[in-house]
Amino acid sequence: MADKIDKTYIESLIANQVPEGRQIDYKEKYAFLSNGEKKELFEDVSSFANAIGGDLVYGVKEKRGPENEKTGLPEAALGLAGFDVHEETAKLENALRSSITPRIAGFQIVPVDGFPQGPVLVIRVPQSWARPHMVSFDKSLRFCSRNAT
């Protein structure tokens, strides 16, 4: 995942129908309000760091199957409506640093402008050599690793 993170990268994911897998996960919405949403995000980030690294891509709608199930294929990059880039990225950086131990070095949080509803947010997580990383949040201690979608 050494690609440059920009609008062309996001558009190529859609055009090439890059499926979710060990190194990429699509999320249509960004929610960081409830403890459950925070915990899921921390687990996703730590699972990438504990495996081979990857990108969490927020603001990309997934295709749905005949019974409305997610297919893991990107349908459209719509962006995140009402997303305050400066406030949310600062909040997210602080939360990731305080809720995953040991800290993950080198992760990037990149907002990408130019989409209909707002920016697409990419959290790029490198493979970590300081693993395993543990999520310590909301009275929970958990190790996660990604091996598939």
Side-chain angles (χ1 to χ4, degrees), residues 30 32 41-42 45 58 83 87-97 107 109 121 123:
Y30 174 82
F32 198 63
L41 189 145
F42 300 150
V45 169
Y58 287 88
F83 185 79
E87 181 181 330
E88 291 301 321
T89 55
K91 195 182 334 179
L92 180 55
E93 280 184 25
N94 290 332
L96 287 171
R97 287 192 171 100
F107 69 85
I109 300 172
L121 182 70
I123 303 173

Side-chain angles (χ1 to χ4, degrees), residues 13-128:
L13 295 173
I14 310 300
N16 296 316
Q17 289 294 280
V18 176
E20 287 188 329
R22 286 190 75 192
Q23 290 187 281
I24 196 156
D25 193 357
Y26 301 111
K27 309 279 187 184
E28 188 170 346
K29 298 180 185 332
Y30 174 82
F32 198 63
L33 302 173
S34 75
N35 282 352
E37 293 162 338
K38 291 176 185 177
K39 186 177 174 187
E40 179 182 349
L41 189 145
F42 300 150
E43 289 174 351
D44 287 341
V45 169
S46 69
S47 71
F48 277 132
N50 286 336
I52 59 174
D55 289 347
L56 283 166
V57 184
Y58 287 88
V60 172
K61 182 178 179 180
E62 281 185 60
K63 287 184 179 179
R64 298 289 182 152
E67 295 183 22
N68 203 34
E69 73 277 9
K70 291 182 178 182
T71 64
L73 295 170
E75 181 175 320
L78 301 175
L80 301 168
F83 185 79
D84 183 326
V85 170
H86 298 293
E87 181 181 330
E88 291 301 321
T89 55
K91 195 182 334 179
L92 180 55
E93 280 184 25
N94 290 332
L96 287 171
R97 287 192 171 100
S98 65
S99 299
I100 299 174
T101 54
R103 288 183 179 180
I104 298 169
F107 69 85
Q108 299 173 339
I109 300 172
V110 182
V112 180
D113 292 320
F115 297 95
Q117 295 179 11
V120 166
L121 182 70
V122 178
I123 303 173
R124 177 159 288 168
V125 183
Q127 178 182 18
S128 176

